[in-house]
Amino acid sequence: MNIFVFETSLEASQYAYDLVAKALESGASTFGLATGSTPEELYSIIRDSDLDFTDAKAVNLDEYYGLPADNDQSYAYFMKKHLFDAKPFAQTHIPNGTATDVEKEIEDYNTILSENPVDLQILGIGSNGHIGFNEQGSPFDSKTRLVDLTDETIQANKRNFESEADVPKKAFSMGIGSILESKQIVLMAFGENKAKAVKETVHGEVTPNVPASVLKNHSNTVILLDKAAASQLDPS
């Protein structure tokens, strides 16, 4: 685990961009992508760059179950708005939030991941240490599956919906086992509300109670923090 602390989230996002650019220039062909507020600055920097992804593939971590791709709160919509419309990829893969055959959707997505090994995976972290929608207690060998969102996650996400009742209660999520198969992982965390999760990830034991702690078992993980997210870390 290599940890870098920056004054601001923008500086951390610029460093993440440099890692993406280096991976692309080195022949990376598949990028694992995350949604939410954490990678927005990274995607903005990419949009304004001259990076060319037309020969690359993208696979996304997750998608709300029950939301169609054209819903403005779906992660498919998010990715089009923040990245794909400006930077087209040869292929983009996001779980189908309205799949009627859930088991087939899961099987198909796991096949996509096995056939397209991720060269670089972008991650955020939840305030309870979750990665993707792999909540506390998620098995470390898990693959793509439909998960129940915790009340904590629902509460955190309700700001994006008109009411709490509109927040999806389930989501498709790439499993921890699949995430760990990525050749390089770049986890970004910004803000004081992530400081406790970062501390438990870095200084705590490897435990399903802090899903991100398993990244200590990965051979090539980079953690990029702003000063607020790093505020509870041991300075040494």
Side-chain angles (χ1 to χ4, degrees), residues 127-171:
S127 58
N128 63 359
H130 74 239
I131 48 178
F133 276 126
N134 295 288
E135 301 283 7
Q136 293 171 311
S138 295
F140 287 159
D141 62 352
S142 57
K143 302 297 184 181
T144 305
R145 64 204 195 287
L146 185 65
V147 300
D148 294 315
L149 303 185
T150 64
D151 184 65
E152 184 175 3
T153 296
I154 292 170
Q155 293 300 317
N157 291 346
K158 71 179 183 180
R159 68 185 186 278
N160 300 317
F161 294 83
E162 289 188 8
S163 71
E164 183 178 334
D166 295 326
V167 183
K169 305 304 186 288
K170 295 177 181 289

Side-chain angles (χ1 to χ4, degrees), residues 35-37 40 62-82 94 97 133 149 156-163 166-168 170-171:
T35 53
S37 59
E40 282 189 21
D62 41 31
E63 177 61 283
Y64 284 125
Y65 182 60
L67 294 188
D70 60 357
N71 184 292
D72 63 5
Q73 293 304 320
S74 76
Y75 289 159
Y77 187 97
F78 176 100
M79 291 306 305
K80 281 177 58 64
K81 175 182 177 181
H82 289 281
I94 302 174
F133 276 126
L149 303 185
N157 291 346
K158 71 179 183 180
R159 68 185 186 278
N160 300 317
F161 294 83
E162 289 188 8
S163 71
D166 295 326
V167 183
K170 295 177 181 289

Side-chain angles (χ1 to χ4, degrees), residues 110 113-121 140-143 174-185 215 218:
N110 282 326
L113 292 172
S114 67
E115 293 178 349
N116 300 279
V118 172
D119 293 294
L120 186 149
Q121 175 68 58
F140 287 159
D141 62 352
S142 57
K143 302 297 184 181
M174 190 188 298
I176 292 175
S178 298
I179 292 171
L180 291 175
E181 290 174 356
S182 306
K183 296 174 186 175
Q184 181 178 23
I185 295 173
L215 298 179
H218 189 270

